[in-house]
Amino acid sequence: MNCDVQGVWSDAPDQKLPPAAVIIEIQSIGKNIFMNLKGPKMYEMRISSLETEKNQGKNLTNSAHMGVNSKNTETGALSEIVIERSKIFLQAYKDNPVPGRAARLNFQGPCRLP
């Protein structure tokens, strides 16, 4: 699925990142969902609903949207991807390692089915 997104830092909402095109790959195995977001490095992420010693994942999929939330138990970093089914609209965030602060990148935008 192709999406056009624009990001903004949670601690600097007036500083928007340039718009970008990303691709979302979605796979489900059993009750688990895997989402791989490819594009400019700042937006890239691979998250899943798997529960492991290093990851606390949660499948957020229901009749209104498809999504996954993931927490890295070693760093505490959170990531989430949610795609609204009716509008095919992406909303996501991810915590980024930035020296001296916790930086969350929020981004959203419309998507097109393949």
Side-chain angles (χ1 to χ4, degrees):
M1 176 181 315
N2 296 310
C3 303
D4 297 315
V5 299
Q6 184 162 30
V8 62
W9 295 106
S10 62
D11 62 349
D14 57 330
Q15 296 178 9
K16 293 184 178 183
L17 275 66
V22 298
I23 298 171
I24 301 175
E25 297 172 343
I26 303 167
Q27 181 180 21
S28 64
I29 300 174
K31 65 177 180 142
N32 291 305
I33 187 167
F34 301 82
M35 292 188 165
N36 189 21
L37 199 145
K38 295 180 178 180
K41 187 172 178 76
M42 194 61 66
Y43 294 105
E44 286 188 347
M45 66 175 132
R46 179 171 178 80
I47 62 175
S48 74
S49 61
L50 280 176
E51 292 283 335
T52 68
E53 62 184 47
K54 294 182 180 182
N55 185 67
Q56 293 177 335
K58 184 175 181 182
N59 188 338
L60 304 175
T61 302
N62 61 31
S63 62
H65 58 261
M66 174 182 286
V68 64
N69 177 283
S70 183
K71 178 180 180 180
N72 181 314
T73 57
E74 293 178 335
T75 65
L78 295 170
S79 300
E80 183 173 287
I81 299 173
V82 175
I83 302 165
E84 186 180 332
R85 293 181 191 266
S86 64
K87 295 180 182 176
I88 313 175
F89 192 82
L90 168 72
Q91 292 187 329
Y93 65 81
K94 73 178 218 176
D95 292 343
N96 289 290
V98 176
R101 67 183 175 121
R104 177 166 289 176
L105 176 63
N106 297 298
F107 53 98
Q108 63 181 7
C111 300
R112 295 168 303 288
L113 294 174

